Amino acid sequence: MSWTLTEDDLPDLARGAAVLGTGGGGDPYVGRLLVREAIREHGPITILDPSEVDDDALVIPTAQMGAPTVVHEKLPNGAEPVLALRTLEKHLGRPADATMPIECGGINSMIPLLVGARLGLPVVDADGMGRAFPELQMETFGVYGVPGSPMAIGGERGETTVIDTGADNRRMEWLARGVTIRLGGVAHIAEYAMSGADVKRTAVPQTLSLALTVGRTIRFARERNEDPVERLASALRSTPYQHLRVLFRGKVSDVERRTEAGFARGRAAAVSFDGASKLEILFQNENLLATVDGSVRCVVPDLICVLEAATAEPITTETLRYGQRVTVVGISTPSLMRTPEALDTFGPAAFGLPHPFVPVEEIA
Amino acid sequence: MSWTLTEDDLPDLARGAAVLGTGGGGDPYVGRLLVREAIREHGPITILDPSEVDDDALVIPTAQMGAPTVVHEKLPNGAEPVLALRTLEKHLGRPADATMPIECGGINSMIPLLVGARLGLPVVDADGMGRAFPELQMETFGVYGVPGSPMAIGGERGETTVIDTGADNRRMEWLARGVTIRLGGVAHIAEYAMSGADVKRTAVPQTLSLALTVGRTIRFARERNEDPVERLASALRSTPYQHLRVLFRGKVSDVERRTEAGFARGRAAAVSFDGASKLEILFQNENLLATVDGSVRCVVPDLICVLEAATAEPITTETLRYGQRVTVVGISTPSLMRTPEALDTFGPAAFGLPHPFVPVEEIA
């Protein structure tokens, strides 16, 4: 069923998207403000369930690309993702019937809403990452045969770039990252243009709804003085993100972060409140691996989410800092994201990690 | 008058283009072989005088872009510039009536010939640099109001990129250089698509003919045991490149060269045969500044050409080496390239040099 997203939904959606961003995906705060202004100007946004999209409709996903550390400082003016969509429409010679997120984590849950509100286009309630990932080829769209090319990039000065690497989505990422770096480390894109039939076949469904549920659940629990992590675990149980495991509780003791080749890379450490055990998290924009006292507790593509201990407010990699009291949770991903071909594209080996993928629910 | 370029013209053209390359523009050798094969397969190439191009014809210049040091090792397969042209034609929705060089120095005198031979397209006898320059905005086309955008880039794996920065040709260079670096340091491009009327208004005319004349003059002088530099000076006297001055004769004593941000940058030094005076040349792909004992003898956009002392064979910056015996000459550029707006774009200040432009014929 289609539904309408209003200004009031945005804080919950942003909070949920930050959880699903697993530390990355860019801070949704600025995106949320841009969407709020767009809704105030143009009215609420129609969200389409993927099952409702016509098989032959043209869906053009829109997103922001860049290192979160840069996104944090270099704010979009809001016209860039619209420019990217318009550029790709012109290149394809056909207007989009809807837009869609390519990732449901962080700011990229907001960018398609911004485009939808500004252009009066519906937004499909689905995405291609089921979380946030750092690179453009890391999409269930691509895993199941939809090429990312041709893609369009819009810059803040109205520059446009159209890249076509055929079926080679890694090569597309490589070239688009080069352009993004030249644009100052952040750019806005339209890519993986596809039919409604392909949306149904390749997208992770209902992830905007999921983000909204996650954000609402945390807020309700706070309002009722319940344990938000426990409430979140029980809310997820009936979704494809079935298993939530608490991996660690403690205090951030060290953060090492660098912006390198267009990515925020680094590691964070936390010590348990009794000082007896130590967590380590490795990240490339997003959290990739969590170990406790040297043993793997959760690994990509499962979600590793760092939450403020008291409120369950998600903490992104670029806001992690010494002394924060945190609860770190692992969340299982849907089976669509755990097939051998999906793991080839965004499993541990795709990030150069030597660890095999083991579902978080089997480790804990 | 239009004329026909055959296989037999290529060695002279390549030699002349290497002189006009002023040390850069890429070694024409590989380009020459590619053009030779294309002529053998498809027949000779029609060269159009700019005055013969219809005012409303569409002319799409084609070129190679990259650091000469890389071009030297990473050879094109020959399909890339055709791919760039086809991509831009598709983007513009109109086929090209002719192609044209963007620079008449080095390999870029050859690339449009390759495209012309392969596609049966005429090549306009003109270019936008009147020599070689390292950056895409350094074009008389742009100086006199033709935008470089939209431009297309073709890669060796069939990747295409279309960049549109409106009237901002510097921004186009910046983004295209980023893509070129990602493609491995060399790429092929189609840009500055323009009408025949704009060709007549903005291009440096008859520079393919000029390169052929330069190359032939040097060969004839050798065959007749005449001084090739003297013969060249007298051949140029009746062209818009009127003044040739010998700046220095000596032995290369030092070369410092690095590939940096997609360019070959560095300096070379030579000592006179009597050891009494010293030449220094500064380059960014092309030679920019020649000083003798600390005094400026020639500065960009005038041409600084390093020639083998015995044969007047041009030496590019990437083949300069210790011990070479050289004659270094300065050649004046046409007035179209010395206007205040032209000097803004490719005069000394555009390269960060503190020296004012002084015509070579006024210094010597």
Side-chain angles (χ1 to χ4, degrees), chain B residues 231-249:
Chain B
R231 298 309 308 148
L232 188 54
S234 94
L236 288 173
R237 218 160 281 144
S238 58
T239 75
Y241 295 72
Q242 214 173 338
H243 309 282
L244 180 150
R245 295 283 185 271
V246 174
L247 307 177
F248 197 79
R249 296 179 199 270

Side-chain angles (χ1 to χ4, degrees), chain B residues 57-64 80-86 88-89 92 96-103 108 111-113 115-116 121-124 126-129 136 139 141-142 146-153 188-195 198-199 202-203:
Chain B
L58 176 64
V59 178
I60 301 186
T62 45
Q64 185 183 75
E80 303 95 329
V82 172
L83 176 66
L85 180 99
R86 290 300 194 213
L88 192 55
E89 284 179 330
L92 295 170
D97 299 302
T99 185
M100 181 167 69
I102 62 157
E103 66 181 338
N108 276 335
I111 297 295
L113 298 174
V115 172
L121 270 185
V123 179
V124 181
D127 81 300
M129 293 183 172
L136 301 186
E139 293 282 343
F141 308 147
V146 175
S149 287
M151 74 169 288
I153 306 178
H188 288 77
I189 60 177
E191 53 163 7
Y192 289 98
M194 71 183 90
S195 68
D198 279 336
V199 171
T202 70

Side-chain angles (χ1 to χ4, degrees), chain B residues 6-357:
Chain B
T6 68
E7 187 185 330
D8 296 338
D9 297 320
L10 294 175
D12 288 336
L13 180 62
R15 185 180 309 109
V19 173
L20 300 176
T22 73
D27 186 340
Y29 179 69
V30 173
R32 174 156 77 84
L33 297 185
L34 287 166
V35 176
R36 192 183 67 186
E37 291 316 301
I39 289 178
R40 285 183 185 172
E41 195 176 338
H42 303 281
I45 303 158
T46 301
I47 310 294
L48 288 181
D49 191 84
S51 63
E52 294 171 308
V53 182
D54 278 351
D55 276 359
D56 56 1
L58 176 64
V59 178
I60 301 186
T62 45
Q64 185 183 75
M65 124 171 235
T69 31
V70 176
V71 171
H72 216 56
E73 297 186 352
K74 193 170 181 303
L75 309 182
N77 63 45
E80 303 95 329
V82 172
L83 176 66
L85 180 99
R86 290 300 194 213
T87 301
L88 192 55
E89 284 179 330
K90 198 177 154 199
H91 184 81
L92 295 170
R94 190 179 157 193
D97 299 302
T99 185
M100 181 167 69
I102 62 157
E103 66 181 338
C104 62
I107 193 167
N108 276 335
S109 58
M110 293 293 164
I111 297 295
L113 298 174
L114 175 63
V115 172
R118 285 202 169 200
L119 301 181
L121 270 185
V123 179
V124 181
D125 185 5
D127 81 300
M129 293 183 172
R131 45 166 289 168
F133 282 125
E135 301 184 13
L136 301 186
Q137 79 278 8
M138 296 173 169
E139 293 282 343
T140 55
F141 308 147
V143 168
Y144 300 110
V146 175
S149 287
M151 74 169 288
I153 306 178
E156 64 189 347
R157 302 190 202 169
E159 319 91 322
T160 62
T161 302
V162 175
I163 294 173
D164 193 339
T165 57
D168 191 342
N169 298 331
R170 267 173 205 278
R171 191 76 174 158
M172 178 186 79
E173 154 68 29
W174 174 248
L175 295 181
R177 191 70 52 183
V179 173
T180 299
I181 292 169
R182 292 302 247 203
L183 287 171
V186 53
H188 288 77
I189 60 177
E191 53 163 7
Y192 289 98
M194 71 183 90
S195 68
D198 279 336
V199 171
K200 291 167 201 170
R201 192 173 58 79
T202 70
V204 186
Q206 283 121 15
T207 46
L208 276 173
S209 302
L210 176 74
L212 201 50
T213 300
V214 169
R216 268 188 195 144
T217 302
I218 293 173
R219 177 168 58 86
F220 286 170
R222 285 182 201 163
E223 288 169 2
R224 294 170 192 160
N225 281 320
E226 296 169 346
D227 177 350
V229 172
E230 208 172 273
R231 298 309 308 148
L232 188 54
S234 94
L236 288 173
R237 218 160 281 144
S238 58
T239 75
Y241 295 72
Q242 214 173 338
H243 309 282
L244 180 150
R245 295 283 185 271
V246 174
L247 307 177
F248 197 79
R249 296 179 199 270
K251 240 174 76 174
V252 176
S253 58
D254 197 22
V255 182
E256 182 198 319
R257 190 194 300 119
R258 55 195 187 282
T259 302
E260 185 183 273
F263 294 108
R265 290 177 196 269
R267 56 180 67 235
V271 177
S272 62
F273 295 119
D274 62 7
S277 75
K278 194 178 167 184
L279 165 87
E280 269 220 350
I281 291 177
L282 197 74
F283 56 83
Q284 176 187 346
N285 291 9
E286 284 74 37
N287 301 322
L288 301 178
L289 176 72
T291 57
V292 174
D293 300 328
S295 302
V296 173
R297 295 299 303 278
C298 191
V299 64
V300 70
D302 281 352
L303 283 65
I304 299 161
C305 311
V306 181
L307 309 174
E308 233 176 54
T311 61
E313 192 65 20
I315 302 174
T316 58
T317 51
E318 75 270 17
T319 56
L320 265 178
R321 61 177 191 278
Y322 176 83
Q324 283 167 329
R325 287 162 178 268
V326 297
T327 301
V328 180
V329 304
I331 299 174
S332 65
T333 37
S335 52
L336 181 72
M337 298 176 61
R338 290 169 160 190
T339 62
E341 54 269 48
L343 293 176
D344 275 353
T345 303
F346 45 62
F351 294 94
L353 297 175
H355 314 76
F357 173 71

